[in-house]
Amino acid sequence: MADRQRPAAQADSPCVAVCSTLFDEICRGCGRTAAEVANWVSMSDEEKRVVWVRIRAQGYPRRR
């Protein structure tokens, strides 16, 4: 996804520096899987867009 298609307020990464994957592989701060976190920098814009759509639908990222 080109920057012109990304909402202005959306950061490149959903990371909120609250990393926790206690009982499963989902980060409680951003909603990404451990694999998505590890591979974020090498993911395509389209792959990142798909993750953003999913985590927003699930109520992430959780910022304080």
Side-chain angles (χ1 to χ4, degrees), residues 5-52:
Q5 296 173 323
R6 181 181 294 136
Q10 181 176 317
D12 176 57
S13 171
C15 181
V16 293
V18 179
C19 305
S20 173
T21 56
L22 281 177
F23 300 103
D24 55 22
E25 291 290 310
I26 304 297
C27 177
R28 298 292 162 232
C30 69
R32 295 178 292 170
T33 65
E36 289 166 343
V37 171
N39 296 310
W40 190 258
V41 296
S42 61
M43 291 171 70
S44 70
D45 286 343
E46 178 60 19
E47 291 169 320
K48 290 178 182 180
R49 186 193 67 75
V50 169
V51 172
W52 270 110

